[in-house]
Amino acid sequence: MTPAQQAMERLRAWPDLTACKAGCGTGQALRFAREEVVHFHTGRDVDLHLTRRAIQRFRYDLSASTAIQLVPGSHWVTVHLDCATDIDLLLTLVSVALKAHQAAPLPSPASSGCNFHRVTVLPRDPVSEH
């Protein structure tokens, strides 16, 4: 089972999330009430819909993580899942996203405009050629 499948299985057990097809057209998604919150694009790459305010609040912590990719102007962050710690980070950020979306008055206009095809995720441990 890929890291993204593991994360999806754990998140599907959350009562506030419902599985659906990703609005961007690639992969599966989980939605919370009125909008999609998580897109599972590959076995390791996941886009998470945070609000602008949540990204600003946690910008320094997010940018310090090697698992997180930020795209300027996007309300989504890309999480690259390499290990169990990355899955735990994703679950924590999904909790932050749910809280942020509960506080937001209306769905964001960027609800399906995730970062897929806007982010290139490189492996953290480069393979050396011999």
Side-chain angles (χ1 to χ4, degrees), residues 17-126:
L17 296 174
T18 305
C20 62
K21 180 129 179 89
C24 66
T26 303
Q28 293 295 307
L30 292 172
R31 70 180 302 109
F32 166 72
R34 25 179 212 204
E35 54 191 311
E36 294 174 13
V37 178
V38 188
H39 286 183
F40 295 88
H41 296 298
T42 70
R44 295 194 180 274
D45 298 316
V46 178
D47 280 340
L48 174 65
H49 186 200
L50 291 172
T51 63
R52 180 184 56 78
R53 186 174 180 185
I55 291 174
Q56 287 176 340
R57 181 175 180 200
F58 296 107
R59 176 172 284 305
Y60 296 111
D61 295 315
L62 294 171
S63 61
S65 172
T66 58
I68 304 287
Q69 178 76 38
L70 298 173
V71 174
S74 177
H75 295 189
W76 294 76
V77 298
T78 300
V79 183
H80 185 73
L81 306 173
D82 273 334
C83 60
T85 303
D86 295 340
I87 295 171
D88 291 340
L89 172 62
L90 174 65
L91 271 61
T92 300
L93 290 174
V94 169
S95 182
V96 170
L98 294 178
K99 188 170 237 175
H101 286 286
Q102 284 175 335
L106 297 172
S108 166
S111 63
S112 64
C114 68
N115 294 337
F116 193 61
H117 295 301
R118 294 173 54 188
V119 170
T120 301
V121 179
L122 300 173
R124 285 186 253 179
D125 298 320

